[in-house]
Amino acid sequence: MSKRMRLGLVGLGGVAQEHMRGIAASDRLVLAAGADINSDRASKSAADYGLKPYSDVTSMIANEALDGILVLTPPQFHLPVIKVAMNAGLPVLCEKPLAASRSDAEAIRNIVLQTGRAFQFGASYRFLPAIREAREIVQSGALGVIRCCSESLIGGQGAEAVESLSPVHYPEGGPGGTPMGLVDHGVHLIDAISWITGLAPTSVFGRGNISGDHPLAESVLMTLERGALVSLSYDEGTFGLSLPGSGVFTEGAGWNVDGFVSAGSYDAYPCILTIHGSDGALRIYPYANRLYHADADGLRQVPVDPLPNPNHFRLQAEEFGRAIRGEAQPGWAAGLDDGLAALDAVLGVYESQKSGRVVTLNYPD
């Protein structure tokens, strides 16, 4: 058996806990070390997962024999951490979104190209079983020509109760908003839809929340190659209208407009992605780990692998390990260009918001 890859994590907050839960179950990876400026958080992660705690990435790299780094900090800190890691010769897996600004994203691109180190973008939805199975169905041609795709996450406990992510995550005055909004969640869907369908985004129009402002409803209308249309709607500042039977018991832990949903519990407002083609349609529950297929023969449930969250973080990290060895499976993990393209679509929404016009997407060129 190949040597287990020793990974270092930078940023040990909420999403890092899910990464660690998944990676700890892997027989191919080792949670060797973790760095966080919050000493209590670092100490707790050390106690829970046996990793060596550090207060900064530089010290961690200097004192540990690592094979790769997972960058799990808030987006505005991705660039400096990636710079330190890659200049030290270490491959990087970076959480979404790639950066908080286009200038930071370009700087990351330059570092990756200059160092030549393996780089993986954290599009973890690609490793959720229902998403992967949906891609197989679409790529087989079973849905025919893709016509439209949609996701809507609307609910919460009213406008006064809604809370945005802090300026620590997204600098005030720039793109930001709520945990299940466009920037922090919708970027997953933009990548996943393009990956499932094999169609790149070509234009966007919509409205996104600004960090520091009271959040409003967000909406995105996006076109894909070959004329497909995507609609995304997000609002955590109102109330949901879940009716009896409209929710689902979820196989994996996940998140919705009311916050974290533990595995095995009833999710009244589950994440649902729909994809409609000329010959059929799919209804995808990424976290609940369910998939439905409708066509001329009727509606049926499609079996998927029983590996919901946090297993997709394990699978993603294991694919990162393969990439470090030069053994990555073509087409599965997201790379630098995927991260840049997803961010470009998100930032295009904000450009359309200012101009009142549809924004054509050209990245990567």
Side-chain angles (χ1 to χ4, degrees):
M1 179 181 292
S2 300
K3 176 179 74 97
R4 296 173 72 188
M5 308 296 284
R6 291 173 53 83
L7 301 179
L9 281 61
V10 185
L12 302 174
V15 72
Q17 300 303 312
E18 296 302 303
H19 280 272
M20 288 188 283
R21 283 179 60 212
I23 295 171
S26 175
D27 60 1
R28 301 177 183 180
L29 308 169
V30 175
L31 285 167
D36 198 294
I37 58 173
N38 185 318
S39 59
D40 290 339
R41 197 153 55 196
S43 297
K44 185 177 187 310
S45 296
D48 291 345
Y49 298 101
L51 53 77
K52 182 72 178 293
Y54 289 89
S55 60
D56 65 274
V57 61
T58 303
S59 298
M60 182 178 74
I61 291 174
N63 289 282
E64 298 290 333
L66 301 174
D67 295 300
I69 295 285
L70 272 64
V71 180
L72 311 177
T73 64
Q76 66 170 315
F77 303 116
H78 287 176
L79 172 57
V81 176
I82 290 171
K83 186 175 182 179
V84 169
M86 292 207 137
N87 283 337
L90 289 171
V92 165
L93 190 165
C94 179
E95 253 288 359
K96 55 77 195 170
L98 183 63
S101 68
R102 186 171 275 112
S103 60
D104 275 12
E106 283 296 328
I108 289 171
R109 178 177 183 268
N110 291 336
I111 292 166
V112 174
L113 295 179
Q114 288 167 7
T115 62
R117 302 298 173 188
F119 182 89
Q120 187 172 318
F121 171 59
S124 59
Y125 270 44
R126 295 187 181 198
F127 294 89
L128 287 165
I131 294 285
R132 295 177 76 155
E133 186 62 32
R135 182 175 187 263
E136 292 295 318
I137 292 172
V138 172
Q139 294 299 314
S140 76
L143 263 57
V145 177
I146 301 303
R147 296 177 59 85
C148 57
C149 312
S150 68
E151 186 200 42
S152 178
L153 282 173
I154 298 176
Q157 297 300 314
E160 297 306 314
V162 65
E163 292 186 11
S164 294
L165 292 163
S166 75
V168 172
H169 284 81
Y170 298 103
E172 287 191 0
T178 58
M180 298 305 290
L182 169 61
V183 178
D184 216 60
H185 169 75
V187 67
H188 268 311
L189 272 295
I190 289 170
D191 176 80
I193 289 169
S194 182
W195 186 65
I196 291 170
T197 63
L199 304 173
T202 55
S203 71
V204 289
F205 180 82
R207 182 175 78 182
N209 279 311
I210 303 297
S211 182
D213 292 354
H214 190 74
L216 302 172
E218 299 176 295
S219 178
V220 178
L221 195 62
M222 181 170 69
T223 59
L224 305 178
E225 295 172 312
R226 302 177 190 170
L229 194 64
V230 176
S231 173
L232 306 175
S233 301
Y234 304 117
D235 189 1
E236 295 175 58
T238 182
F239 290 86
L241 285 171
S242 176
L243 300 175
S246 61
V248 64
F249 281 94
T250 178
E251 288 186 23
W255 295 264
N256 67 15
V257 289
D258 287 333
F260 185 75
V261 181
S262 59
S265 61
Y266 183 74
D267 187 351
Y269 311 106
C271 296
I272 302 171
L273 169 61
T274 63
I275 299 179
H276 297 263
S278 58
D279 298 333
L282 296 176
R283 186 177 180 90
I284 309 162
Y285 294 78
Y287 291 127
N289 209 37
R290 295 187 184 182
L291 176 63
Y292 296 89
H293 184 183
D295 58 16
D297 294 326
L299 176 67
R300 56 199 175 277
Q301 184 171 356
V302 179
V304 296
D305 291 335
L307 296 171
N309 178 40
N311 288 284
H312 68 307
F313 287 120
R314 172 179 64 82
L315 295 172
Q316 178 180 246
E318 288 179 346
E319 188 62 15
F320 178 49
R322 293 189 189 94
I324 293 171
R325 290 194 173 102
E327 302 168 356
Q329 304 172 91
W332 283 109
L336 175 64
D337 283 348
D338 298 306
L340 290 165
L343 180 63
D344 194 51
V346 170
L347 296 181
V349 171
Y350 287 87
E351 291 175 18
S352 79
Q353 186 171 333
K354 289 181 180 179
S355 68
R357 298 178 179 179
V358 172
V359 172
T360 299
L361 302 174
N362 300 306
Y363 205 93
D365 53 24

